[in-house]
Structure formats: structure tokens, C-alpha cells
Amino acid sequence: MPTAAQLASLYRIGYQLTFTMLQPIHLICVDARTQNVYVLAGYEEELEFQILPNGELSDEPD
């Protein structure tokens, strides 16, 4: 289950992706190992985000 901070960040990212950038969101899930929320978006599925439990975005490359 995502934390309150992750949900707030997810809402902000989802709004920016769909309303501002007009990009589709394909997948949102919680990684059971790290507890990060993973977001896959974009027409070519080229946009990836990981939201840490504290609500910050991960800047770690995959």
C-alpha cells in the first residue's frame, strides 16, 4: 500500500502527465521489494518514474 506522501506525489505526477503533457499512463504499481511506486507513461512507454516512500522521486537510473 502506498504511503500518503507517495499518493500525493502520484497525484501530482498523474495530473502533470495527463492534463499538462497529454501523455497516457500505462502502469502504476508498488514494487514489493523496495516499496517504491513505479509509473510507466508516454505514448512509447518512454517515461518512467519511481516514487520513494517519503514521496520524493528517485533519480537513480535503471
Side-chain angles (χ1 to χ4, degrees):
M1 187 71 173
T3 65
Q6 284 174 316
L7 290 174
S9 291
L10 179 60
Y11 178 82
R12 186 183 77 246
I13 290 169
Y15 180 84
Q16 290 173 347
L17 284 169
T18 58
F19 185 73
T20 306
M21 298 172 60
L22 303 175
Q23 297 290 321
I25 297 173
H26 297 281
L27 175 72
I28 299 172
C29 64
V30 177
D31 185 335
R33 297 169 296 143
T34 63
Q35 298 304 311
N36 293 348
V37 173
Y38 179 77
V39 181
L40 180 63
Y43 288 104
E44 303 291 323
E45 298 180 4
E46 72 277 10
L47 303 172
E48 299 178 30
F49 301 92
Q50 285 193 49
I51 307 171
L52 303 173
N54 65 3
E56 297 292 321
L57 291 178
S58 172
D59 57 359
E60 181 179 13
D62 289 331

Short mmCIF file of all heavy atoms in Angstrom, two decimals:
data_model
loop_
_atom_site.label_atom_id
_atom_site.label_comp_id
_atom_site.label_asym_id
_atom_site.label_seq_id
_atom_site.Cartn_x
_atom_site.Cartn_y
_atom_site.Cartn_z
N MET A 1 0.84 -1.18 0.00
CA MET A 1 0.00 0.00 0.00
C MET A 1 0.89 1.24 0.00
O MET A 1 1.81 1.33 0.80
CB MET A 1 -0.89 -0.05 1.24
CG MET A 1 -1.91 1.01 1.27
SD MET A 1 -3.15 0.65 0.03
CE MET A 1 -4.31 1.89 0.40
N PRO A 2 0.64 2.19 -0.88
CA PRO A 2 1.46 3.40 -0.93
C PRO A 2 1.27 4.26 0.32
O PRO A 2 0.21 4.24 0.96
CB PRO A 2 0.95 4.15 -2.15
CG PRO A 2 -0.01 3.27 -2.84
CD PRO A 2 -0.35 2.14 -1.94
N THR A 3 2.30 5.02 0.65
CA THR A 3 2.22 5.94 1.78
C THR A 3 1.43 7.18 1.34
O THR A 3 1.21 7.41 0.15
CB THR A 3 3.62 6.38 2.25
OG1 THR A 3 4.23 7.14 1.19
CG2 THR A 3 4.48 5.19 2.61
N ALA A 4 1.04 8.00 2.31
CA ALA A 4 0.33 9.25 2.00
C ALA A 4 1.19 10.17 1.15
O ALA A 4 0.70 10.82 0.22
CB ALA A 4 -0.10 9.94 3.29
N ALA A 5 2.49 10.21 1.43
CA ALA A 5 3.41 11.04 0.65
C ALA A 5 3.51 10.54 -0.79
O ALA A 5 3.57 11.33 -1.74
CB ALA A 5 4.78 11.07 1.31
N GLN A 6 3.54 9.22 -0.98
CA GLN A 6 3.59 8.65 -2.32
C GLN A 6 2.30 8.97 -3.09
O GLN A 6 2.35 9.29 -4.28
CB GLN A 6 3.80 7.15 -2.27
CG GLN A 6 5.21 6.74 -1.95
CD GLN A 6 5.34 5.25 -1.76
OE1 GLN A 6 4.51 4.61 -1.10
NE2 GLN A 6 6.40 4.68 -2.32
N LEU A 7 1.17 8.88 -2.43
CA LEU A 7 -0.09 9.17 -3.10
C LEU A 7 -0.17 10.63 -3.53
O LEU A 7 -0.67 10.93 -4.62
CB LEU A 7 -1.27 8.82 -2.18
CG LEU A 7 -1.48 7.33 -1.93
CD1 LEU A 7 -2.58 7.11 -0.90
CD2 LEU A 7 -1.80 6.61 -3.23
N ALA A 8 0.33 11.54 -2.70
CA ALA A 8 0.34 12.96 -3.06
C ALA A 8 1.23 13.19 -4.27
O ALA A 8 0.85 13.92 -5.21
CB ALA A 8 0.81 13.81 -1.88
N SER A 9 2.39 12.57 -4.30
CA SER A 9 3.29 12.70 -5.45
C SER A 9 2.69 12.05 -6.69
O SER A 9 2.81 12.58 -7.80
CB SER A 9 4.65 12.07 -5.14
OG SER A 9 5.32 12.82 -4.18
N LEU A 10 2.06 10.91 -6.51
CA LEU A 10 1.43 10.22 -7.63
C LEU A 10 0.33 11.07 -8.24
O LEU A 10 0.20 11.16 -9.46
CB LEU A 10 0.86 8.87 -7.17
CG LEU A 10 0.15 8.04 -8.23
CD1 LEU A 10 1.09 7.71 -9.38
CD2 LEU A 10 -0.41 6.78 -7.60
N TYR A 11 -0.45 11.73 -7.42
CA TYR A 11 -1.50 12.62 -7.93
C TYR A 11 -0.88 13.76 -8.73
O TYR A 11 -1.34 14.07 -9.83
CB TYR A 11 -2.34 13.17 -6.78
CG TYR A 11 -3.40 14.12 -7.27
CD1 TYR A 11 -4.60 13.64 -7.78
CD2 TYR A 11 -3.19 15.50 -7.27
CE1 TYR A 11 -5.57 14.50 -8.26
CE2 TYR A 11 -4.15 16.37 -7.76
CZ TYR A 11 -5.34 15.86 -8.25
OH TYR A 11 -6.28 16.72 -8.74
N ARG A 12 0.18 14.37 -8.20
CA ARG A 12 0.84 15.49 -8.89
C ARG A 12 1.41 15.03 -10.23
O ARG A 12 1.21 15.69 -11.26
CB ARG A 12 1.95 16.07 -8.00
CG ARG A 12 2.58 17.31 -8.57
CD ARG A 12 3.72 17.83 -7.71
NE ARG A 12 4.91 17.01 -7.92
CZ ARG A 12 5.47 16.22 -7.02
NH1 ARG A 12 4.99 16.13 -5.81
NH2 ARG A 12 6.54 15.52 -7.32
N ILE A 13 2.08 13.90 -10.25
CA ILE A 13 2.67 13.37 -11.49
C ILE A 13 1.57 12.99 -12.48
O ILE A 13 1.65 13.29 -13.67
CB ILE A 13 3.58 12.17 -11.19
CG1 ILE A 13 4.83 12.63 -10.46
CG2 ILE A 13 3.94 11.42 -12.47
CD1 ILE A 13 5.65 11.50 -9.90
N GLY A 14 0.54 12.32 -12.00
CA GLY A 14 -0.56 11.93 -12.87
C GLY A 14 -1.25 13.12 -13.49
O GLY A 14 -1.59 13.11 -14.68
N TYR A 15 -1.44 14.17 -12.72
CA TYR A 15 -2.06 15.39 -13.24
C TYR A 15 -1.18 16.02 -14.31
O TYR A 15 -1.66 16.39 -15.39
CB TYR A 15 -2.31 16.37 -12.10
CG TYR A 15 -2.95 17.66 -12.56
CD1 TYR A 15 -4.32 17.75 -12.72
CD2 TYR A 15 -2.16 18.77 -12.85
CE1 TYR A 15 -4.91 18.92 -13.15
CE2 TYR A 15 -2.74 19.94 -13.29
CZ TYR A 15 -4.12 20.01 -13.44
OH TYR A 15 -4.69 21.17 -13.88
N GLN A 16 0.12 16.14 -14.02
CA GLN A 16 1.04 16.74 -14.99
C GLN A 16 1.12 15.92 -16.27
O GLN A 16 1.14 16.49 -17.37
CB GLN A 16 2.42 16.91 -14.38
CG GLN A 16 2.47 17.97 -13.31
CD GLN A 16 3.80 18.03 -12.58
OE1 GLN A 16 4.63 17.13 -12.71
NE2 GLN A 16 4.00 19.07 -11.81
N LEU A 17 1.16 14.60 -16.14
CA LEU A 17 1.24 13.75 -17.32
C LEU A 17 -0.01 13.84 -18.19
O LEU A 17 0.08 14.00 -19.40
CB LEU A 17 1.49 12.30 -16.93
CG LEU A 17 2.89 11.93 -16.49
CD1 LEU A 17 2.88 10.53 -15.88
CD2 LEU A 17 3.86 12.01 -17.65
N THR A 18 -1.17 13.73 -17.58
CA THR A 18 -2.39 13.62 -18.36
C THR A 18 -3.00 14.96 -18.75
O THR A 18 -3.53 15.09 -19.85
CB THR A 18 -3.44 12.78 -17.61
OG1 THR A 18 -3.71 13.39 -16.35
CG2 THR A 18 -2.96 11.36 -17.41
N PHE A 19 -2.92 15.96 -17.89
CA PHE A 19 -3.58 17.22 -18.19
C PHE A 19 -2.62 18.21 -18.86
O PHE A 19 -2.98 18.85 -19.84
CB PHE A 19 -4.14 17.85 -16.90
CG PHE A 19 -4.93 19.10 -17.15
CD1 PHE A 19 -6.19 19.03 -17.73
CD2 PHE A 19 -4.42 20.33 -16.83
CE1 PHE A 19 -6.91 20.18 -17.97
CE2 PHE A 19 -5.13 21.49 -17.07
CZ PHE A 19 -6.39 21.42 -17.64
N THR A 20 -1.41 18.32 -18.36
CA THR A 20 -0.46 19.29 -18.90
C THR A 20 0.27 18.75 -20.12
O THR A 20 0.36 19.42 -21.15
CB THR A 20 0.56 19.69 -17.82
OG1 THR A 20 -0.15 20.15 -16.67
CG2 THR A 20 1.48 20.79 -18.30
N MET A 21 0.81 17.53 -20.02
CA MET A 21 1.63 16.97 -21.09
C MET A 21 0.83 16.10 -22.07
O MET A 21 1.34 15.70 -23.11
CB MET A 21 2.77 16.15 -20.49
CG MET A 21 3.72 16.96 -19.64
SD MET A 21 4.92 15.95 -18.75
CE MET A 21 5.76 15.14 -20.09
N LEU A 22 -0.42 15.77 -21.73
CA LEU A 22 -1.29 14.94 -22.55
C LEU A 22 -0.66 13.58 -22.89
O LEU A 22 -0.75 13.09 -24.01
CB LEU A 22 -1.71 15.67 -23.83
CG LEU A 22 -2.41 17.01 -23.62
CD1 LEU A 22 -2.65 17.69 -24.95
CD2 LEU A 22 -3.69 16.85 -22.85
N GLN A 23 -0.04 12.96 -21.90
CA GLN A 23 0.61 11.66 -22.06
C GLN A 23 -0.23 10.58 -21.35
O GLN A 23 -0.72 10.80 -20.25
CB GLN A 23 2.01 11.67 -21.44
CG GLN A 23 2.96 12.63 -22.10
CD GLN A 23 3.36 12.18 -23.49
OE1 GLN A 23 3.56 11.00 -23.73
NE2 GLN A 23 3.47 13.13 -24.39
N PRO A 24 -0.38 9.42 -21.95
CA PRO A 24 -1.12 8.34 -21.29
C PRO A 24 -0.27 7.66 -20.21
O PRO A 24 0.95 7.62 -20.30
CB PRO A 24 -1.40 7.35 -22.43
CG PRO A 24 -0.29 7.57 -23.39
CD PRO A 24 0.04 9.03 -23.31
N ILE A 25 -0.94 7.15 -19.20
CA ILE A 25 -0.29 6.36 -18.15
C ILE A 25 -0.65 4.91 -18.41
O ILE A 25 -1.82 4.55 -18.51
CB ILE A 25 -0.75 6.81 -16.75
CG1 ILE A 25 -0.32 8.26 -16.51
CG2 ILE A 25 -0.18 5.89 -15.68
CD1 ILE A 25 -0.86 8.86 -15.23
N HIS A 26 0.37 4.06 -18.51
CA HIS A 26 0.15 2.65 -18.82
C HIS A 26 0.14 1.75 -17.60
O HIS A 26 -0.56 0.74 -17.59
CB HIS A 26 1.23 2.15 -19.80
CG HIS A 26 1.20 2.85 -21.10
ND1 HIS A 26 0.30 2.56 -22.10
CD2 HIS A 26 1.96 3.87 -21.57
CE1 HIS A 26 0.51 3.36 -23.13
NE2 HIS A 26 1.50 4.16 -22.84
N LEU A 27 0.93 2.09 -16.59
CA LEU A 27 1.08 1.19 -15.45
C LEU A 27 1.42 1.98 -14.20
O LEU A 27 2.25 2.90 -14.24
CB LEU A 27 2.22 0.19 -15.73
CG LEU A 27 2.61 -0.75 -14.61
CD1 LEU A 27 1.51 -1.80 -14.42
CD2 LEU A 27 3.93 -1.42 -14.91
N ILE A 28 0.79 1.62 -13.10
CA ILE A 28 1.15 2.12 -11.77
C ILE A 28 1.14 0.91 -10.85
O ILE A 28 0.15 0.19 -10.77
CB ILE A 28 0.14 3.16 -11.24
CG1 ILE A 28 0.08 4.38 -12.16
CG2 ILE A 28 0.49 3.57 -9.82
CD1 ILE A 28 -1.02 5.36 -11.82
N CYS A 29 2.27 0.66 -10.18
CA CYS A 29 2.33 -0.46 -9.25
C CYS A 29 3.32 -0.16 -8.13
O CYS A 29 4.14 0.74 -8.23
CB CYS A 29 2.70 -1.75 -9.96
SG CYS A 29 4.33 -1.75 -10.68
N VAL A 30 3.22 -0.94 -7.06
CA VAL A 30 4.13 -0.82 -5.93
C VAL A 30 5.11 -1.99 -6.00
O VAL A 30 4.70 -3.14 -6.08
CB VAL A 30 3.38 -0.85 -4.58
CG1 VAL A 30 4.35 -0.79 -3.43
CG2 VAL A 30 2.39 0.29 -4.50
N ASP A 31 6.40 -1.67 -6.01
CA ASP A 31 7.45 -2.69 -6.01
C ASP A 31 7.52 -3.28 -4.59
O ASP A 31 7.82 -2.58 -3.64
CB ASP A 31 8.78 -2.06 -6.40
CG ASP A 31 9.91 -3.07 -6.54
OD1 ASP A 31 9.83 -4.15 -5.90
OD2 ASP A 31 10.86 -2.78 -7.26
N ALA A 32 7.23 -4.56 -4.48
CA ALA A 32 7.19 -5.21 -3.16
C ALA A 32 8.55 -5.24 -2.48
O ALA A 32 8.64 -5.26 -1.26
CB ALA A 32 6.64 -6.62 -3.30
N ARG A 33 9.63 -5.22 -3.27
CA ARG A 33 10.98 -5.28 -2.69
C ARG A 33 11.39 -3.95 -2.08
O ARG A 33 11.96 -3.90 -1.01
CB ARG A 33 12.00 -5.69 -3.75
CG ARG A 33 11.77 -7.07 -4.32
CD ARG A 33 12.63 -7.30 -5.54
NE ARG A 33 12.22 -6.36 -6.58
CZ ARG A 33 13.04 -5.76 -7.43
NH1 ARG A 33 14.32 -6.01 -7.40
NH2 ARG A 33 12.56 -4.93 -8.33
N THR A 34 11.13 -2.85 -2.79
CA THR A 34 11.61 -1.53 -2.35
C THR A 34 10.52 -0.65 -1.76
O THR A 34 10.82 0.38 -1.17
CB THR A 34 12.23 -0.77 -3.54
OG1 THR A 34 11.21 -0.55 -4.53
CG2 THR A 34 13.40 -1.54 -4.14
N GLN A 35 9.26 -1.01 -1.96
CA GLN A 35 8.10 -0.22 -1.58
C GLN A 35 7.99 1.09 -2.35
O GLN A 35 7.29 2.01 -1.94
CB GLN A 35 8.08 0.05 -0.06
CG GLN A 35 7.99 -1.20 0.78
CD GLN A 35 6.77 -2.05 0.43
OE1 GLN A 35 5.66 -1.55 0.34
NE2 GLN A 35 6.99 -3.33 0.20
N ASN A 36 8.71 1.18 -3.49
CA ASN A 36 8.59 2.34 -4.37
C ASN A 36 7.37 2.18 -5.26
O ASN A 36 7.02 1.07 -5.66
CB ASN A 36 9.83 2.50 -5.27
CG ASN A 36 11.07 2.85 -4.50
OD1 ASN A 36 11.02 3.20 -3.32
ND2 ASN A 36 12.20 2.76 -5.15
N VAL A 37 6.72 3.30 -5.58
CA VAL A 37 5.63 3.29 -6.56
C VAL A 37 6.27 3.51 -7.92
O VAL A 37 7.05 4.44 -8.11
CB VAL A 37 4.60 4.39 -6.25
CG1 VAL A 37 3.57 4.49 -7.37
CG2 VAL A 37 3.91 4.12 -4.93
N TYR A 38 5.96 2.66 -8.88
CA TYR A 38 6.52 2.70 -10.21
C TYR A 38 5.44 3.17 -11.18
O TYR A 38 4.30 2.67 -11.15
CB TYR A 38 7.02 1.32 -10.61
CG TYR A 38 7.59 1.25 -11.99
CD1 TYR A 38 8.87 1.73 -12.27
CD2 TYR A 38 6.85 0.71 -13.03
CE1 TYR A 38 9.39 1.67 -13.55
CE2 TYR A 38 7.37 0.64 -14.31
CZ TYR A 38 8.64 1.13 -14.56
OH TYR A 38 9.14 1.08 -15.83
N VAL A 39 5.77 4.15 -12.03
CA VAL A 39 4.84 4.68 -13.02
C VAL A 39 5.48 4.56 -14.40
O VAL A 39 6.61 4.99 -14.60
CB VAL A 39 4.50 6.16 -12.73
CG1 VAL A 39 3.52 6.70 -13.75
CG2 VAL A 39 3.96 6.33 -11.32
N LEU A 40 4.74 3.98 -15.34
CA LEU A 40 5.18 3.87 -16.72
C LEU A 40 4.19 4.65 -17.57
O LEU A 40 2.98 4.39 -17.51
CB LEU A 40 5.22 2.41 -17.16
CG LEU A 40 5.65 2.13 -18.60
CD1 LEU A 40 7.09 2.58 -18.82
CD2 LEU A 40 5.50 0.66 -18.91
N ALA A 41 4.69 5.63 -18.34
CA ALA A 41 3.80 6.50 -19.10
C ALA A 41 4.42 6.88 -20.44
O ALA A 41 5.57 6.53 -20.73
CB ALA A 41 3.52 7.76 -18.28
N GLY A 42 3.65 7.62 -21.23
CA GLY A 42 4.10 8.10 -22.53
C GLY A 42 3.57 7.24 -23.65
O GLY A 42 3.26 6.07 -23.46
N TYR A 43 3.44 7.84 -24.82
CA TYR A 43 2.91 7.11 -25.97
C TYR A 43 3.78 5.92 -26.35
O TYR A 43 3.28 4.90 -26.79
CB TYR A 43 2.74 8.05 -27.17
CG TYR A 43 1.59 9.00 -26.98
CD1 TYR A 43 1.81 10.32 -26.65
CD2 TYR A 43 0.28 8.55 -27.09
CE1 TYR A 43 0.74 11.19 -26.45
CE2 TYR A 43 -0.78 9.40 -26.88
CZ TYR A 43 -0.54 10.72 -26.57
OH TYR A 43 -1.59 11.57 -26.35
N GLU A 44 5.06 6.05 -26.19
CA GLU A 44 6.00 4.95 -26.49
C GLU A 44 6.47 4.26 -25.21
O GLU A 44 7.47 3.55 -25.22
CB GLU A 44 7.21 5.49 -27.25
CG GLU A 44 6.88 6.21 -28.54
CD GLU A 44 6.36 5.28 -29.61
OE1 GLU A 44 6.86 4.15 -29.70
OE2 GLU A 44 5.45 5.69 -30.36
N GLU A 45 5.78 4.50 -24.10
CA GLU A 45 6.15 3.97 -22.78
C GLU A 45 7.58 4.35 -22.42
O GLU A 45 8.31 3.57 -21.82
CB GLU A 45 5.95 2.45 -22.73
CG GLU A 45 4.51 2.04 -22.95
CD GLU A 45 4.29 0.55 -22.90
OE1 GLU A 45 5.24 -0.21 -22.63
OE2 GLU A 45 3.15 0.13 -23.14
N GLU A 46 7.98 5.57 -22.77
CA GLU A 46 9.34 6.03 -22.56
C GLU A 46 9.53 6.82 -21.26
O GLU A 46 10.64 7.15 -20.89
CB GLU A 46 9.80 6.89 -23.75
CG GLU A 46 9.16 8.27 -23.83
CD GLU A 46 7.78 8.30 -24.49
OE1 GLU A 46 7.19 7.25 -24.74
OE2 GLU A 46 7.31 9.42 -24.74
N LEU A 47 8.46 7.11 -20.55
CA LEU A 47 8.54 7.88 -19.31
C LEU A 47 8.40 6.94 -18.12
O LEU A 47 7.39 6.24 -17.99
CB LEU A 47 7.45 8.95 -19.28
CG LEU A 47 7.45 9.93 -20.45
CD1 LEU A 47 6.22 10.81 -20.40
CD2 LEU A 47 8.72 10.75 -20.43
N GLU A 48 9.41 6.91 -17.28
CA GLU A 48 9.40 6.04 -16.10
C GLU A 48 9.67 6.88 -14.87
O GLU A 48 10.56 7.73 -14.87
CB GLU A 48 10.47 4.97 -16.20
CG GLU A 48 10.30 4.04 -17.38
CD GLU A 48 11.42 3.03 -17.46
OE1 GLU A 48 11.96 2.65 -16.40
OE2 GLU A 48 11.75 2.62 -18.58
N PHE A 49 8.91 6.64 -13.81
CA PHE A 49 9.09 7.34 -12.54
C PHE A 49 9.07 6.32 -11.42
O PHE A 49 8.32 5.35 -11.48
CB PHE A 49 7.96 8.35 -12.30
CG PHE A 49 7.84 9.40 -13.36
CD1 PHE A 49 6.99 9.22 -14.43
CD2 PHE A 49 8.58 10.56 -13.28
CE1 PHE A 49 6.87 10.18 -15.41
CE2 PHE A 49 8.46 11.54 -14.25
CZ PHE A 49 7.61 11.35 -15.32
N GLN A 50 9.87 6.56 -10.39
CA GLN A 50 9.79 5.80 -9.16
C GLN A 50 9.62 6.80 -8.02
O GLN A 50 10.40 7.74 -7.89
CB GLN A 50 11.04 4.97 -8.94
CG GLN A 50 11.10 3.75 -9.82
CD GLN A 50 12.17 2.79 -9.39
OE1 GLN A 50 12.27 2.45 -8.21
NE2 GLN A 50 12.99 2.36 -10.33
N ILE A 51 8.60 6.57 -7.22
CA ILE A 51 8.32 7.45 -6.09
C ILE A 51 8.72 6.71 -4.82
O ILE A 51 8.18 5.65 -4.51
CB ILE A 51 6.83 7.84 -6.04
CG1 ILE A 51 6.39 8.43 -7.38
CG2 ILE A 51 6.59 8.83 -4.91
CD1 ILE A 51 4.89 8.64 -7.49
N LEU A 52 9.65 7.28 -4.09
CA LEU A 52 10.14 6.68 -2.85
C LEU A 52 9.07 6.77 -1.77
O LEU A 52 8.15 7.58 -1.87
CB LEU A 52 11.41 7.40 -2.40
CG LEU A 52 12.56 7.42 -3.40
CD1 LEU A 52 13.68 8.32 -2.89
CD2 LEU A 52 13.06 6.03 -3.68
N PRO A 53 9.17 5.97 -0.71
CA PRO A 53 8.16 6.02 0.36
C PRO A 53 7.99 7.40 1.01
O PRO A 53 6.92 7.72 1.52
CB PRO A 53 8.69 5.00 1.38
CG PRO A 53 9.42 4.00 0.54
CD PRO A 53 10.08 4.83 -0.53
N ASN A 54 9.02 8.25 0.94
CA ASN A 54 8.89 9.61 1.50
C ASN A 54 8.25 10.59 0.53
O ASN A 54 8.13 11.77 0.83
CB ASN A 54 10.25 10.13 1.98
CG ASN A 54 11.23 10.32 0.86
OD1 ASN A 54 10.93 10.12 -0.31
ND2 ASN A 54 12.45 10.70 1.21
N GLY A 55 7.88 10.13 -0.68
CA GLY A 55 7.22 10.97 -1.67
C GLY A 55 8.14 11.61 -2.67
O GLY A 55 7.69 12.22 -3.63
N GLU A 56 9.45 11.49 -2.47
CA GLU A 56 10.40 12.07 -3.40
C GLU A 56 10.54 11.16 -4.62
O GLU A 56 10.36 9.95 -4.54
CB GLU A 56 11.78 12.21 -2.73
CG GLU A 56 11.79 13.16 -1.56
CD GLU A 56 11.56 14.59 -1.96
OE1 GLU A 56 12.08 15.01 -3.01
OE2 GLU A 56 10.85 15.30 -1.22
N LEU A 57 10.92 11.76 -5.76
CA LEU A 57 11.19 10.98 -6.96
C LEU A 57 12.60 10.43 -6.90
O LEU A 57 13.53 11.13 -6.50
CB LEU A 57 11.03 11.84 -8.21
CG LEU A 57 9.62 12.26 -8.54
CD1 LEU A 57 9.62 13.15 -9.77
CD2 LEU A 57 8.72 11.08 -8.76
N SER A 58 12.75 9.21 -7.33
CA SER A 58 14.07 8.58 -7.38
C SER A 58 14.82 9.10 -8.60
O SER A 58 14.27 9.15 -9.69
CB SER A 58 13.93 7.06 -7.47
OG SER A 58 15.18 6.47 -7.69
N ASP A 59 16.07 9.50 -8.42
CA ASP A 59 16.87 9.96 -9.55
C ASP A 59 17.86 8.89 -9.98
O ASP A 59 18.75 9.13 -10.75
CB ASP A 59 17.62 11.24 -9.22
CG ASP A 59 18.51 11.11 -8.01
OD1 ASP A 59 18.55 10.04 -7.39
OD2 ASP A 59 19.17 12.11 -7.67
N GLU A 60 17.67 7.69 -9.46
CA GLU A 60 18.54 6.56 -9.76
C GLU A 60 18.21 5.99 -11.13
O GLU A 60 17.06 5.66 -11.41
CB GLU A 60 18.34 5.49 -8.69
CG GLU A 60 19.20 4.29 -8.86
CD GLU A 60 18.96 3.29 -7.74
OE1 GLU A 60 18.00 3.42 -7.00
OE2 GLU A 60 19.77 2.36 -7.63
N PRO A 61 19.19 5.89 -12.03
CA PRO A 61 18.90 5.29 -13.34
C PRO A 61 18.65 3.80 -13.23
O PRO A 61 19.20 3.13 -12.37
CB PRO A 61 20.17 5.57 -14.14
CG PRO A 61 21.24 5.76 -13.12
CD PRO A 61 20.57 6.28 -11.88
N ASP A 62 17.82 3.28 -14.13
CA ASP A 62 17.51 1.83 -14.13
C ASP A 62 18.55 1.06 -14.86
O ASP A 62 18.99 1.31 -15.88
CB ASP A 62 16.14 1.59 -14.74
CG ASP A 62 15.03 2.07 -13.83
OD1 ASP A 62 15.22 2.06 -12.61
OD2 ASP A 62 13.99 2.43 -14.35
#
